[in-house]
Structures are given as structure tokens and as C-alpha cells.
Amino acid sequence: MESWQLILLFGSSLLGGLGIFLFKKDNSNRLKLVLSFSGAYLFAITVLHLMPDVYSSGNPQIGLFILGGFLLQIFMEQFSEGIEHGHIHKHSHQHFVFPLGIMISLCLHAFLEGMPLAKGQHKELVYGIALHHIPAAFALGSVLMENKLSKFSISSLLILFALMSPLGYWLSFEIGQGAIGNIEVYFDRIMGVVIGIFLHISTTILFESSVDHKFNLKKVVAVLLGVSIALAGFFIH
């Protein structure tokens, strides 16, 4: 994995989160378009790239890990409240209370996404993670600001979140090199879990990023653009 990809993973999350200091968080129309684009791209690369790769390993039980990742994401959302999808919720009754469950769930989510990156070339996966972390980090920053944290504390926590995917990559790389323990044979299972997470996130984004689940013209264009870019990468590859 090249250094610019790690920088992209870190920078997209951090800049997406710091955007709360520059943009109005109640202006959700633009955020929904970004969500639609990222959700479509994420779903397309999962179907076109990630699933064929992981099934080519020949493991007949890989579907169990994909299902497990899907269910794990449902469980984690009980604590993150859907921030992975860029959802911003009001917490007027929780002022001055640090949202520990949200922070832990999002960090675990980002860490798991970074782990499969250490094996093989997964540029599409890097782009997919970076894209969907932008609205997720923005939503996280909004929740932290809503809970009356200082700008320094918000920035520090956003940096922590931005480091999670690179840390997941680093740990799995060290494992694959035998520096921590040779369990490279489990990479297809880890990828299966991540695919399940991506399937849940991307489909939820596509169905919940518009009012009453209706597709408007701008959303259709954003979805088609996301799918088209994924298809272009597929045919070029």
C-alpha cells in the first residue's frame, strides 16, 4: 500500500470532520448528495471488486463472515446511532455528556475497514473508505460540537477517528509479515466481515438519504455517477 493512500484515508476523515467549523450542519441537501454518491460507489465496488475477490479464495464458509459483518454493523449502530451513514441526530438531553458509545463504535468500525488493505492492491477499497468517512466524520464532529466540547477536544477526537483505518492497515500488515503472528490465512474472513459492513452501510445510505425513500433527479445523478466511476475502474482494471 502506497503512502499517499494512507494519507488519503487519514486526510478524508480529518477534513470531513473539521468541515463542521466551516459549513452549517443544518444544510443537509449537499450532504445527502455526497452520501448518495458515496453509497452508490461503495455498493458498486463491493459487488464488482470485493465480493469476487473474496469468493475466489475458495472458502465455502465465506458467506457466514459476510453475514456476520452485516449483523455486526447492525449491532454497532445501536451505539453509533447511524453516524456511519452521515446521519446527524439531535441530543439536546445529553449536553456536556461525552458520547462514548458513538466514539468507540465508529473507531472500531474504521479500524476493521482498514485491516484488509494490507493484502493485495485494493485501491477501490481505499477510495470507498475515504468517501464514506467524509460524511461520517462530519456527522461525528457535529455530535461532538452539540455536546459542548471545545474545538481542541473535537479536533483531537477527529484525529483519533482518522487514525483508525491506517492503524487497522498497520496491524494487519504486521500480522501478515509474521511480526505479530502469522494469521494471514484469516484475511479472507476479515474481508468478508468488511464486505458485510459495506453492504449494510451502502444500502442504508441509498434507501435513507431521501425523504420517504423517493429518488429525486439530483440523487439519481449522484447515484449514477458513483456507479459509473466504479464501473470505469472495473473495466480499466
Side-chain angles (χ1 to χ4, degrees):
M1 186 175 181
E2 299 178 16
S3 58
W4 69 266
Q5 293 176 325
L6 289 174
I7 294 173
L8 177 63
L9 285 176
F10 176 81
S12 62
S13 298
L14 182 59
L15 294 178
L18 295 178
I20 60 168
F21 300 125
L22 302 175
F23 303 103
K24 294 181 179 179
K25 67 178 181 179
D26 56 352
N27 185 10
S28 59
N29 291 333
R30 187 173 300 177
L31 180 62
K32 286 181 179 179
L33 289 177
V34 174
L35 281 170
S36 298
F37 171 81
S38 65
Y41 179 81
L42 197 61
F43 180 78
I45 65 168
T46 300
V47 174
L48 295 172
H49 295 278
L50 306 184
M51 292 184 73
D53 285 348
V54 75
Y55 274 106
S56 67
S57 67
N59 185 348
Q61 297 181 336
I62 200 64
L64 295 175
F65 293 93
I66 294 176
L67 179 61
F70 193 92
L71 296 175
L72 175 63
Q73 180 59 32
I74 293 176
F75 174 76
M76 289 194 295
E77 285 187 10
Q78 306 308 305
F79 303 95
S80 66
E81 303 181 19
I83 284 182
E84 297 94 332
H85 314 140
H87 291 182
I88 302 173
H89 302 279
K90 297 295 182 182
H91 298 78
S92 59
H93 61 290
Q94 293 183 350
H95 286 327
F96 302 99
V97 178
F98 177 70
L100 182 62
I102 290 176
M103 196 67 202
I104 292 176
S105 177
L106 281 182
C107 286
L108 176 60
H109 169 96
F111 185 84
L112 289 172
E113 287 179 339
M115 292 192 71
L117 297 175
K119 184 178 181 180
Q121 297 295 321
H122 294 295
K123 290 183 179 179
E124 294 84 5
L125 180 56
V126 172
Y127 298 146
I129 295 173
L131 274 174
H132 100 81
H133 276 187
I134 293 173
F138 186 87
L140 173 61
S142 298
V143 170
L144 295 174
M145 179 178 287
E146 194 174 290
N147 282 272
K148 305 300 183 181
L149 274 69
S150 66
K151 287 186 177 181
F152 176 79
S153 296
I154 293 173
S155 300
S156 299
L157 291 169
L158 289 172
I159 290 173
L160 176 62
F161 172 66
L163 285 171
M164 286 298 106
S165 287
L167 283 175
Y169 158 77
W170 173 82
L171 177 63
S172 59
F173 178 80
E174 293 297 317
I175 290 173
Q177 296 296 312
I180 297 177
N182 189 16
I183 59 171
E184 186 176 350
V185 292
Y186 296 109
F187 271 138
D188 60 334
R189 295 164 175 81
I190 297 172
M191 179 65 86
V193 172
V194 172
I195 287 173
I197 291 173
F198 278 1
L199 285 175
H200 185 281
I201 290 174
S202 59
T203 52
T204 302
I205 288 173
L206 290 175
F207 287 110
E208 293 191 359
S209 59
S210 60
V211 179
D212 298 327
H213 305 280
K214 294 180 180 178
F215 274 58
N216 56 47
L217 180 59
K218 290 182 178 180
K219 179 175 178 178
V220 170
V221 172
V223 169
L224 291 177
L225 182 60
V227 172
S228 297
I229 293 176
L231 281 172
F234 174 76
F235 286 116
I236 292 173
H237 180 69

